[in-house]
């Protein structure tokens, strides 16, 4: 089984080699790293003209995690310092999530998740993720963070790193942000955990059962506009391969990208930050149209389309990308559908530059049409019902050094949902069986799961339910239960009959909770460890927000807002290369994921989670169950193929087989 791992010691050597880092010098007022984490290097950067940026970098004793902290900075230069760190340490750096700001003893602390690629001394390049805090104090500011990656040996160091960052922000500086920071206790050597029954705590808040909600209404469709954006933060600038985001402008007139002749090679453009597209139940007849309106006079070459949230340049790999190249060097203008496997498809056009381009999506595939484009039928191997997608556009010179311009004035989406069809087996065939994993009472199969800010004392059992009440001031307050063993897998045939994990909470008294799936026992670093991280948060007016992130923060987060009426049942479906999360009816959201495949087994954690750091959180968990989705028209013979080993009955199988043989002879 593949396992999650973390940074190897080569990161420090690589930073030294790439950035000219000098050994750190001792100073009387330096930031204190965790015990026995020596300051290994010092990196001298610049946050702006005349604004030095000094980072001290330390590694864990097992060479598994790298921590860094800056010397005091001008608070006005914190954002420039953040960008400088990203540019010098990572390639193609991207902020994948902004966890918001909160007041801490040191000052206003803002936490963001940074991802990118890192080139190791031996030439290998790998994806790297890290959490970075910018802290604005009364007189100066600081930046601190840590970086981890997948693919290395298992380590407990990320827990110490997460504790250190939390302590870094919590330590009061009495107006002087350069004083030493108190380090957390030394992380003890890992001990094989034994299943422990969570201890019942006295009930401090009465939890009463309310009438069950009426249920979510049907998903509505219609035409909506995503560009010009309703809010400036709905789109972000993106650049990679040496491109410059300064060439991108996003305003009330749309998106303008202008590459001057002679500009350095690379790409620049814009990507949505919200869940721009969420497909409906394609199998039931749902359709979605995405309409791009370019200014043909102000547009030369453009690469645009739909992204699965993998990375900025996903249009050339894991996205549905359309490349419009202008007439140049004697060749006519062309439109090509790019494919990650290199099997590109040319689409006939008569226009010299793009105007209106429409992508229509249904269960039958794609139809591309528009000004100068005859309807062109296409397929996409990643297409699936309820898939969440971003929208991306970039300017692309037809050759290195050539000028390029894009003016995207408008993007509209027309959703045409269809009532979801409840898949049913063939007549006379029983559905695949379900079994209960957690029934609301103490069970050695589920152990306490507190993270920094959460404590087992906040958890109790009462009235056949698990209750976690986390008060304000406890960070994100993750307190709940984790499975002592792997409980969910991706079995054979999961593309047709996914594994389904169902979590039932009391929606009337639960304020926010999370679900995490990981290949190893969940620990305090679950935010980076999880292959799937789901968050549900109640909102004003009776609605709620569901957030889904796959592959340990290596992908964008997707969001689905639920109207009032949710019954408290959340189901997670596991398939090869995809997760799907549903709240009932057509309220489902799927994400393409490279971090899940057939045969993989997952531990699970369910926990109270605050919507904003240091706010209170409450989870009232009633049960957890698991089964497989019975595919439409499942026959008796197919049912035996899809049954889990412990549910297979040889006598029943022989009986069904004999009946089938009799029918064949008739």
């Amino acid at each position: 089984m593949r396992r999650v791992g973390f940074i190897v010691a080569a990161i420090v050597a690589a930073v030294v080699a790439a950035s000219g880092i000098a050994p750190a010098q001792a100073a009387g007022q330096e930031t204190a790293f965790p015990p026995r984490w020596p300051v290994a290097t010092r990196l001298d950067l610049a946050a702006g003209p005349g604004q030095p940026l000094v980072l001290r970098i330390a590694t864990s004793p097992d060479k598994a995690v790298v921590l860094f902290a800056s010397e005091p900075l001008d608070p006005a230069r914190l954002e420039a310092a953040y960008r400088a760190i990203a540019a010098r340490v990572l390639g193609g750096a991207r902020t994948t999530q902004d966890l918001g700001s909160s007041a801490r003893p040191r000052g206003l602390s803002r936490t963001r998740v940074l991802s990118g690629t890192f080139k190791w001394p031996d030439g290998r390049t790998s994806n790297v993720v890290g959490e970075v805090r910018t802290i604005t104090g009364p007189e100066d500011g600081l930046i601190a963070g840590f970086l981890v990656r997948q693919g290395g040996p298992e380590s407990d160091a990320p827990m110490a790193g997460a504790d250190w960052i939390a302590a870094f922000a919590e330590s009061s500086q009495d107006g002087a942000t350069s004083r030493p920071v108190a380090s957390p206790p030394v992380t003890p050597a890992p001990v094989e955990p034994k299943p422990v029954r969570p201890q019942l705590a006295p009930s401090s808040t009465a939890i009463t059962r309310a009438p069950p909600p009426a249920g979510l209404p049907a998903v509505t469709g219609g035409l909506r506009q995503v560009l010009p954006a309703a809010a400036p933060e709905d789109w972000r600038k993106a650049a990679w391969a040496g491109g410059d985001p300064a060439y991108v402008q996003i305003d009330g007139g749309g998106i303008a990208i202008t590459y001057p002749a002679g500009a350095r090679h690379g790409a620049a453009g814009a990507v949505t930050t919200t869940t721009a597209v969420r497909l409906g139940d394609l199998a039931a007849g749902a359709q979605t149209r995405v309409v791009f309106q370019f200014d043909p006079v102000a547009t030369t070459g453009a690469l645009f389309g739909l992204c699965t949230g993998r990375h900025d340049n996903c249009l050339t790999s894991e996205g549905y990308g359309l490349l419009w190249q202008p007439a140049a060097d004697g060749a006519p203008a062309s439109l090509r559908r790019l494919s990650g496997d290199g099997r590109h498809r040319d689409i006939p056009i008569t226009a010299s530059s793009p105007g209106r381009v429409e992508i229509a999506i249904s269960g039958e595939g794609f139809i591309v049409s528009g000004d100068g484009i005859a309807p062109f039928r296409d397929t996409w191997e990643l297409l699936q019902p309820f898939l969440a997608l971003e929208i991306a556009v970039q300017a692309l010179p037809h050759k290195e050094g050539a000028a390029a311009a894009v003016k995207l004035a408008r993007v509209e989406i027309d959703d045409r949902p269809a009532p979801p069809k409840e898949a049913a087996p063939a007549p006379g065939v029983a559905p695949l069986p379900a079994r209960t994993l957690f029934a609301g009472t103490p069970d050695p199969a589920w152990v306490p799961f507190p993270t920094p800010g959460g404590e087992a004392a906040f958890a109790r059992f009462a009235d056949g339910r698990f209750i976690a009440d986390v008060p304000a001031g406890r960070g994100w307050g993750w307190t709940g239960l984790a499975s002592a063993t792997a409980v969910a897998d991706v079995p054979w045939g999961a593309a047709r009959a996914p594994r389904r994990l169902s979590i039932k909470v009391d929606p009337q008294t639960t304020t926010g909770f999370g679900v995490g799936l990981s290949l190893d026992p969940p620990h305090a670093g679950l935010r980076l460890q999880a292959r799937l991280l789901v968050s549900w948060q109640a909102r004003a007016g009776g609605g709620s927000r569901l957030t889904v992130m796959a592959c340990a923060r290596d992908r964008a987060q997707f969001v689905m807002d639920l109207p009032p009426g949710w019954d408290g049942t959340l189901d997670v479906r596991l398939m090869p290369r995809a997760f799907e999360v549903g709240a009932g009816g057509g309220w489902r959201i799927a994400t393409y994921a490279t971090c899940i495949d057939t045969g993989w087994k997952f531990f699970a954690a369910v926990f109270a989670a605050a919507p904003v750091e240091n706010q209170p959180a409450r989870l009232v968990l009633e049960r957890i169950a698991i089964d497989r989705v019975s595919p439409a028209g499942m026959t008796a013979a197919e049912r035996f193929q899809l049954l889990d080993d412990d549910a297979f009955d040889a006598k029943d199988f022989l009986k069904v087989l004999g009946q089938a043989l009799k029918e064949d002879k008739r």
Side-chain angles (χ1 to χ4, degrees), residues 404-482:
V406 168
K407 175 61 177 178
L408 180 58
R410 193 176 185 88
V411 177
E412 293 180 334
I413 299 174
D414 185 7
D415 292 309
R416 302 176 184 180
K421 292 181 178 179
E422 293 297 330
V429 178
L432 293 168
R435 59 189 175 91
T436 299
L437 296 176
F438 173 74
T441 56
D443 188 332
W446 294 87
V447 299
F449 176 68
T451 66
E455 291 183 8
F458 301 145
R460 66 189 188 276
F461 289 93
D463 195 21
R465 297 180 291 180
F466 171 82
I467 301 168
D469 265 318
V470 184
R474 305 299 302 188
W476 296 100
W478 286 13
T479 301
L481 298 173

Side-chain angles (χ1 to χ4, degrees), residues 25 85 95 104 123 132 134 161 222 291 312 383 466 518 561 582 590-591 596 623 641 662:
Q25 297 178 356
I85 291 172
T95 301
R104 317 305 301 155
V132 181
T134 53
V291 180
D312 290 337
L383 183 62
F466 171 82
S518 59
D561 288 330
T591 177
I596 177 173
R623 70 175 182 272
Q641 291 179 319
K662 289 180 181 179

Side-chain angles (χ1 to χ4, degrees), residues 109-507:
S109 174
R110 181 181 180 185
T111 304
R112 284 171 284 189
V113 179
L114 188 70
S115 69
T117 59
F118 192 88
K119 188 173 183 180
W120 306 93
D122 61 5
R124 292 180 297 114
T125 300
S126 61
N127 292 325
V128 177
V129 295
E131 291 198 2
V132 181
R133 291 199 181 204
T134 53
I135 303 174
T136 306
E139 297 180 359
D140 48 23
L142 290 168
I143 293 183
F146 72 105
L147 299 172
V148 302
R149 78 168 187 178
Q150 297 179 351
E154 183 180 0
S155 170
D156 291 327
M159 288 183 279
D163 288 343
W164 175 80
I165 287 187
F168 189 94
E170 293 293 339
S171 299
S172 175
Q173 292 302 305
D174 299 323
T177 56
S178 60
R179 289 178 54 191
V181 179
S183 300
V186 179
T187 302
V191 178
E192 187 66 24
K194 297 181 179 180
V196 178
R197 289 180 182 267
Q199 298 298 310
L200 297 181
S203 178
S204 58
T205 305
I207 302 293
T208 58
R209 295 185 185 275
L216 291 171
V219 177
T220 59
L223 189 66
R224 53 191 174 91
Q225 175 183 305
V226 295
L227 188 73
E233 61 270 18
D234 288 350
W235 290 78
R236 62 179 173 83
K237 297 180 181 181
W240 56 96
D244 192 339
Y247 299 140
V248 183
Q249 180 179 350
I250 306 173
D251 54 28
I255 297 172
I257 312 168
T258 305
Y259 253 85
R264 70 176 187 269
H265 180 66
V271 183
T272 53
T273 59
T274 60
T275 307
V277 178
R278 184 178 66 86
L279 303 180
D281 190 348
L282 302 179
Q287 299 179 12
T288 296
R289 296 186 308 119
V290 183
V291 180
F292 298 82
Q293 184 62 58
F294 292 90
D295 181 344
V297 176
T299 301
T300 55
L303 176 60
F304 59 99
L306 306 172
C307 284
T308 59
R310 177 74 173 112
H311 38 55
D312 290 337
N313 60 336
C314 75
L315 292 173
T316 60
S317 55
E318 296 176 3
Y320 188 86
L322 296 174
L323 173 61
W324 194 300
Q325 292 185 309
D329 301 331
S334 63
L335 179 61
R336 170 172 288 185
R337 205 277 273 184
L338 301 181
S339 177
D341 60 8
R343 293 182 293 182
H344 310 310
R345 301 188 67 185
D346 290 324
I347 301 175
I349 59 173
T350 58
S352 59
S353 59
R356 181 180 183 277
V357 181
E358 176 182 308
I359 302 175
I361 309 168
S362 69
E364 298 179 355
F366 285 64
I367 297 179
V368 180
S369 61
D371 297 341
I373 310 172
F376 180 84
R377 287 194 171 273
D378 199 6
T379 60
W380 188 35
E381 62 276 11
L382 303 186
L383 183 62
Q384 71 176 85
F386 308 109
L387 185 64
L389 296 164
E390 297 174 324
I391 296 175
V393 60
Q394 71 178 76
L396 198 68
H398 71 281
K399 64 179 180 180
E400 186 172 355
V406 168
K407 175 61 177 178
L408 180 58
R410 193 176 185 88
V411 177
E412 293 180 334
I413 299 174
D414 185 7
D415 292 309
R416 302 176 184 180
K421 292 181 178 179
E422 293 297 330
V429 178
L432 293 168
R435 59 189 175 91
T436 299
L437 296 176
F438 173 74
T441 56
D443 188 332
W446 294 87
V447 299
F449 176 68
T451 66
E455 291 183 8
F458 301 145
R460 66 189 188 276
F461 289 93
D463 195 21
R465 297 180 291 180
F466 171 82
I467 301 168
D469 265 318
V470 184
R474 305 299 302 188
W476 296 100
W478 286 13
T479 301
L481 298 173
S483 64
T485 61
V487 294
D489 66 339
V490 186
W492 172 89
R496 175 165 163 76
R499 178 69 74 198
R500 176 168 54 192
L501 187 69
S502 298
I503 297 100
K504 177 65 171 68
V505 306
D506 182 350

Side-chain angles (χ1 to χ4, degrees), residues 484-559:
T485 61
V487 294
D489 66 339
V490 186
W492 172 89
R496 175 165 163 76
R499 178 69 74 198
R500 176 168 54 192
L501 187 69
S502 298
I503 297 100
K504 177 65 171 68
V505 306
D506 182 350
Q508 304 295 92
T509 54
T510 297
T511 64
F513 74 99
V515 178
L517 299 182
S518 59
L519 295 177
D520 301 291
H523 55 61
L526 183 64
R527 194 184 296 276
L528 297 172
Q529 176 197 22
R531 296 304 174 98
L532 177 71
L533 200 58
V534 180
S535 170
W536 178 90
Q537 296 294 334
R539 307 186 80 189
S544 56
R545 168 163 287 186
L546 195 63
T547 304
V548 179
M549 178 176 291
C551 301
R553 294 179 178 266
D554 193 29
R555 312 182 74 83
Q557 60 177 348
F558 288 111
V559 173

